[in-house]
Amino acid sequence: MQDATSLFPVSAPAVVSPLRTAVSHRSDPAEAVAELASGLCHASLGFVLFFCSVEYPLEALSRALNEAFADIPVAGCTSAGEITPAGYARGSIVAIGFDRCHFVFAPALVDSLDAFDLPCAQRLVDDLLGRCRERALAPLADHSFVVTLLDGLSSSEESVIATLDAALGSIPSFGGSAGDDNRLARTHVFCHGRFHNEAAVVLMVNTPLPFEVFTTHHLRPRHEKLVVTAVDRESRRVMELNAVPAVEAYAALVEQPVAGLGPELFARHPLAVRIGDHYYVRSIQRANEDGSLSFYCAVDNGIVLTAMTSALILEELVQTLQGLEQRLGPHELVIGCDCFLRRLELEVLGEDAAVSDLLSLSRVIGFNTYGEQYHGMHINQTFTGVAIGTARPGGAA
């Protein structure tokens, strides 16, 4: 297999970038944040976005962030792995600093996910638009996008994201569900100076720089189908597939014993729902003792799940990143939400180092998620994000 360097040419970054990045592997929160601040702080720093491991004591990390960036808005979330300037990492904190001469940020916290209906979403979007409009750097309609970060174990992503998308109209959005280093215990988002559970962060961004919100995956449909015949929608648990216990039906599909079902197998043999001509993965979280399967995305009774098979992640990523560069020109940065199941699959196959190198060469910063959001949909096992280009000659930036 070719290495990432030969597959994807390196773009020359701008001499002075409107986007700065920093990472720390220090375990002490104060030392870690001090290292971030030394790489990010400058006279026109306007916003900081970070992704961190839950190995950090989060209260201490909050204090350190508030002290280091006292006058700068900060948002972020916990992760199931980080994407740093050097590629994949764990147990670290990575951050992006946005220059206010090139970006306007309007952050908001949704702290009651169950009550987030369309009137709430419309008020939130109107507020975000109003704040961006006050110092917009480019017309809002064609020069704005939204980033969403959600509690990855809240089971509320579908309703929140669909409702928000309805209020956003034509404004593109993407995001990721917070992780907790694959512990599946508690995930967190950060806004207004502290970490929150059962909450979402919504960031509206206005910029004159060219950008493209995108999503991609490496999975291809097989011919086998499984119909959901019994489900507990609230807990995202499927009790039956094809009228037999879900674990038995899935084990038969992948030709493995029930006792052998686990994250590595789920990563390599996902299921998807077809909508139009596209397949959207519904990843399995765990097999339960009662014979049910828990999913990361909502599943409904009667839906048809298609068995999927994997293509090569590296080749798919190269094509995606090359396509973005062809359309946008050289990248300042790609903010990426990469499903943790993709990374798990790469590690099983021994291909994680090659993809890590590609992400580094392609200036990708982000995190491994418990699910991704794209244009109002909650999806799994994708690489989703925004590519931000350099200022175009004669442009506003």
Side-chain angles (χ1 to χ4, degrees), residues 278-342:
H278 300 282
Y279 289 87
Y280 297 95
V281 174
R282 296 292 180 260
S283 293
I284 300 170
Q285 185 183 102
R286 62 167 68 93
N288 302 309
E289 292 183 358
D290 63 0
S292 65
L293 292 170
S294 294
F295 282 71
Y296 282 102
C297 278
V299 282
D300 289 307
N301 206 45
I303 67 169
V304 178
L305 296 171
T306 299
M308 306 291 282
T309 189
S310 295
L312 296 176
I313 292 181
L314 181 60
E315 291 184 4
E316 165 262 328
L317 264 181
V318 167
Q319 292 173 5
T320 296
L321 293 167
Q322 285 180 338
L324 289 166
E325 180 142 349
Q326 288 169 2
R327 293 187 293 275
L328 290 175
H331 299 152
E332 287 285 354
L333 196 72
V334 178
I335 304 174
C337 302
D338 187 29
C339 184
F340 87 101
L341 290 170
R342 286 166 57 93

Side-chain angles (χ1 to χ4, degrees), residues 141-163:
D142 298 317
H143 298 272
S144 303
F145 62 90
V146 164
V147 185
T148 52
L149 303 173
L150 278 83
D151 181 334
L153 298 175
S154 67
S155 298
S156 300
E157 293 101 317
E158 284 83 9
S159 60
V160 171
I161 293 302
T163 303

Side-chain angles (χ1 to χ4, degrees), residues 52-389:
C52 71
S53 166
V54 291
E55 292 180 12
Y56 288 102
L58 296 185
E59 288 190 13
L61 185 61
S62 296
R63 291 194 298 270
L65 288 166
N66 293 333
E67 291 172 5
F69 302 105
D71 300 320
I72 305 297
V74 179
C77 69
T78 57
S79 71
E82 300 78 55
I83 307 174
T84 77
Y88 282 140
R90 283 196 173 92
S92 67
I93 178 169
V94 62
I96 306 166
F98 296 81
D99 191 318
R100 64 172 174 265
C101 298
H102 298 266
F103 296 91
V104 173
F105 265 81
L109 178 71
V110 179
D111 57 5
S112 182
L113 300 181
D114 291 342
F116 190 70
D117 56 13
L118 188 56
C120 289
Q122 194 61 64
R123 288 193 296 271
L124 181 144
V125 170
D126 289 345
D127 175 64
L128 296 178
L129 286 169
R131 285 191 276 152
C132 280
R133 192 175 289 112
E134 289 176 1
R135 52 178 298 266
L137 299 172
L140 294 184
D142 298 317
H143 298 272
S144 303
F145 62 90
V146 164
V147 185
T148 52
L149 303 173
L150 278 83
D151 181 334
L153 298 175
S154 67
S155 298
S156 300
E157 293 101 317
E158 284 83 9
S159 60
V160 171
I161 293 302
T163 303
L164 178 64
D165 188 67
L168 286 172
S170 62
I171 298 174
S173 65
F174 80 96
S177 299
D180 65 348
D181 295 321
N182 305 354
R183 300 174 187 177
L184 300 177
R186 201 170 192 195
T187 59
H188 312 258
V189 298
F190 183 94
C191 191
H192 301 332
R194 68 184 184 91
F195 285 94
H196 306 261
N197 298 108
E198 294 291 329
V201 176
V202 181
L203 309 171
M204 184 170 286
V205 187
N206 174 254
T207 180
L209 297 179
F211 65 84
E212 182 177 331
V213 172
F214 68 91
T215 188
T216 185
H217 66 76
H218 65 297
L219 302 167
R220 306 293 181 263
R222 292 163 47 180
H223 68 276
E224 298 94 337
K225 310 288 183 182
L226 295 172
V227 180
V228 177
T229 49
V231 66
D232 180 347
R233 194 179 188 281
E234 292 300 313
S235 64
R236 296 176 173 172
R237 272 192 314 133
V238 173
M239 268 71 73
E240 290 183 359
L241 292 167
N242 293 350
V244 301
V247 292
E248 294 180 16
Y250 180 80
L253 173 72
V254 298
E255 299 180 336
Q256 295 290 328
V258 169
L261 300 185
E264 294 180 0
L265 200 65
F266 299 147
R268 297 191 64 188
H269 300 280
L271 304 172
V273 60
R274 181 175 178 177
I275 301 176
D277 293 329
H278 300 282
Y279 289 87
Y280 297 95
V281 174
R282 296 292 180 260
S283 293
I284 300 170
Q285 185 183 102
R286 62 167 68 93
N288 302 309
E289 292 183 358
D290 63 0
S292 65
L293 292 170
S294 294
F295 282 71
Y296 282 102
C297 278
V299 282
D300 289 307
N301 206 45
I303 67 169
V304 178
L305 296 171
T306 299
M308 306 291 282
T309 189
S310 295
L312 296 176
I313 292 181
L314 181 60
E315 291 184 4
E316 165 262 328
L317 264 181
V318 167
Q319 292 173 5
T320 296
L321 293 167
Q322 285 180 338
L324 289 166
E325 180 142 349
Q326 288 169 2
R327 293 187 293 275
L328 290 175
H331 299 152
E332 287 285 354
L333 196 72
V334 178
I335 304 174
C337 302
D338 187 29
C339 184
F340 87 101
L341 290 170
R342 286 166 57 93
R343 181 166 173 178
L344 178 59
E345 181 179 349
L346 289 169
E347 290 170 346
V348 170
L349 297 174
E351 298 174 359
D352 50 313
V355 171
S356 181
D357 289 343
L358 174 63
L359 295 173
S360 176
L361 289 168
S362 305
R363 298 178 59 79
V364 177
I365 299 293
F367 72 114
N368 295 114
T369 75
Y370 280 174
E372 303 78 59
Q373 297 105 42
Y374 177 72
H375 288 314
M377 294 192 66
H378 179 216
I379 49 184
N380 293 132
Q381 283 181 254
T382 74
F383 177 68
T384 297
V386 63
I388 301 173

